[in-house]
Amino acid sequence: MTVDQASSPAVGRPRPTAKTGRTRSTARTGPSMTTRKHRAFYMFASPWIIGFSLLTIAPMAYALWLSFTTYDGISPHWHYVGLGNYRELMGDSVTWDALGRAGLFALTSVPLSIIAGLALAVLVNRPLKARGLFRTMLYLPAVVPPVGAGIAFKNLFDQNSGAANGALTFFGFDAIGWLADPYARYVLVMTVLWAAGNIMIISLAGLQDVPRELHEAARIDGASAWRAFRSITVPLLSPVLLFQTVTGVIASVQTIMPMLLAPTAGTGGLTSIPQSNYTYMIHVFAEYFALGRYGYASALLWVLFLLILIATGLIFKFTSGVVFYNVDPEAQK
């Protein structure tokens, strides 16, 4: 190697390539993790969103529009009356009487069904033999369709051929018109208590979540079983009881069981319903299908929807101080 080559700084170095004007392209990346999570969420939730929109939002909007009209469901001639149906509703004594009966039925059936379901849950939560069989038998009435339950109770309490009057006459008592006033309301409450197995299952799940250490500590301190149940079990079950109260009130004011318990079939199945069982939803059914007043009946349903919202809000407000939520403080951080 010559001196010129040794002193040349370019010796041993790669020659620079000519610039071609092209830049190195970066590799394309897919959507971010957050985007993929959002897509997966909407993909899995889309059947519910579509169903809720088509089967709930759209019918509610249509009913709201009908409540401002005189549409009868058949005739193409209808008129827009604005708030006329709502003004008529405010002065309709039949509507308010039916609403009062529905409220009375809710105040009676909801506490009784919750107490009965909780009592059954406490019973089947004990270490009994064939406990699973007892749970199944007590829960079976809850899965019977309402139509089948209504027909069964109608046949059971029939004045002429029912088993209830058969038992009374066997012991020397007179037959009772169970499906007529004033006994019809009691039969209606019994249909609710008969299906208390649904509440039993929910209460049973809550009971099994109560820590046993608390009951053992209470027993060591000398507390009785009733005191432990009242001071430990009930407070820990308060969220479950609140849920059952809210859902029970909503379901009770919307019941149509009186139509299934009607002793005879009248015009539209309505004229034979006893006055004590003529509740709000029966009145709505009568306005819809017996009288063909779709606009007025839609106004009735929207008023019921608002009343349920108000009742639910009041329940949450007045129970906020007695409902105990067992939340881990570390989970709130």
Side-chain angles (χ1 to χ4, degrees):
M1 181 172 60
T2 62
V3 176
D4 294 338
Q5 291 176 339
S7 61
S8 176
V11 175
R13 296 182 182 179
R15 295 183 179 181
T17 57
K19 295 183 178 181
T20 60
R22 297 179 181 179
T23 59
R24 184 178 297 176
S25 60
T26 59
R28 291 186 178 181
T29 59
S32 63
M33 180 64 68
T34 303
T35 303
R36 289 198 296 268
K37 288 182 177 180
H38 289 173
R39 289 179 180 178
F41 168 78
Y42 286 111
M43 180 181 68
F44 284 105
S46 59
W48 181 88
I49 295 174
I50 296 173
F52 182 75
S53 301
L54 296 179
L55 303 178
T56 302
I57 299 298
M60 289 182 65
Y62 181 64
L64 180 62
W65 172 77
L66 285 180
S67 67
F68 299 115
T69 68
T70 59
Y71 184 61
D72 61 358
I74 299 176
S75 175
H77 305 289
W78 54 271
H79 303 283
Y80 177 81
V81 294
L83 298 177
N85 290 325
Y86 294 93
R87 286 193 294 266
E88 180 183 353
L89 185 153
M90 292 300 174
D92 189 358
S93 59
V94 177
T95 297
W96 294 110
D97 290 342
L99 182 62
R101 296 187 197 99
L104 180 61
F105 174 65
L107 291 176
T108 305
S109 62
V110 173
L112 290 177
S113 60
I114 292 177
I115 293 173
L118 182 58
L120 293 176
V122 172
L123 177 64
V124 299
N125 194 42
R126 300 176 64 86
L128 303 172
K129 293 183 178 180
R131 183 171 57 178
L133 178 62
F134 282 113
R135 291 177 180 178
T136 303
M137 293 177 61
L138 292 173
Y139 181 69
L140 279 178
V143 301
V144 175
V147 175
I151 295 175
F153 270 83
K154 180 179 178 180
N155 294 331
L156 178 63
F157 290 97
D158 186 82
Q159 185 173 1
N160 299 321
S161 60
N165 279 337
L168 290 177
T169 55
F170 178 79
F171 290 103
F173 296 96
D174 295 332
I176 297 177
W178 293 103
L179 301 180
D181 290 326
Y183 301 102
R185 67 184 67 183
Y186 305 124
V187 176
L188 183 60
V189 173
M190 280 188 280
T191 61
V192 177
L193 296 179
W194 182 69
N198 190 19
I199 297 179
M200 178 199 70
I201 292 296
I202 300 176
S203 299
L204 181 61
L207 286 175
Q208 294 179 348
D209 196 37
V210 176
R212 295 182 179 179
E213 295 81 4
L214 298 179
H215 284 278
E216 294 175 357
R219 192 181 307 111
I220 294 174
D221 291 339
S224 62
W226 169 248
R227 179 60 185 274
F229 177 79
R230 182 169 57 89
S231 302
I232 298 176
T233 305
V234 173
L236 292 179
L237 281 180
S238 55
V240 176
L241 299 178
L242 175 62
F243 168 77
Q244 293 172 347
T245 301
V246 173
T247 56
V249 169
I250 295 174
S252 61
V253 297
Q254 299 183 54
T255 181
I256 60 170
M257 186 63 73
M259 294 182 57
L260 304 174
L261 296 176
T264 56
T267 304
L270 297 169
T271 58
S272 61
I273 295 178
Q275 190 70 17
S276 59
N277 281 358
Y278 192 85
T279 57
Y280 194 86
M281 284 303 297
I282 303 301
H283 183 53
V284 172
F285 186 90
E287 294 292 338
Y288 259 120
F289 302 105
L291 302 178
R293 303 184 63 191
Y294 277 50
Y296 185 70
S298 299
L300 290 175
L301 287 178
W302 265 97
V303 169
L304 179 63
F305 174 70
L306 295 177
L307 291 176
I308 289 176
L309 286 182
I310 294 173
T312 304
L314 292 176
I315 291 174
F316 277 103
K317 179 179 179 180
F318 288 110
T319 59
S320 59
V322 296
V323 177
F324 175 77
Y325 294 98
N326 188 15
V327 180
D328 185 7
E330 296 296 332
Q332 296 179 350
K333 295 181 181 181

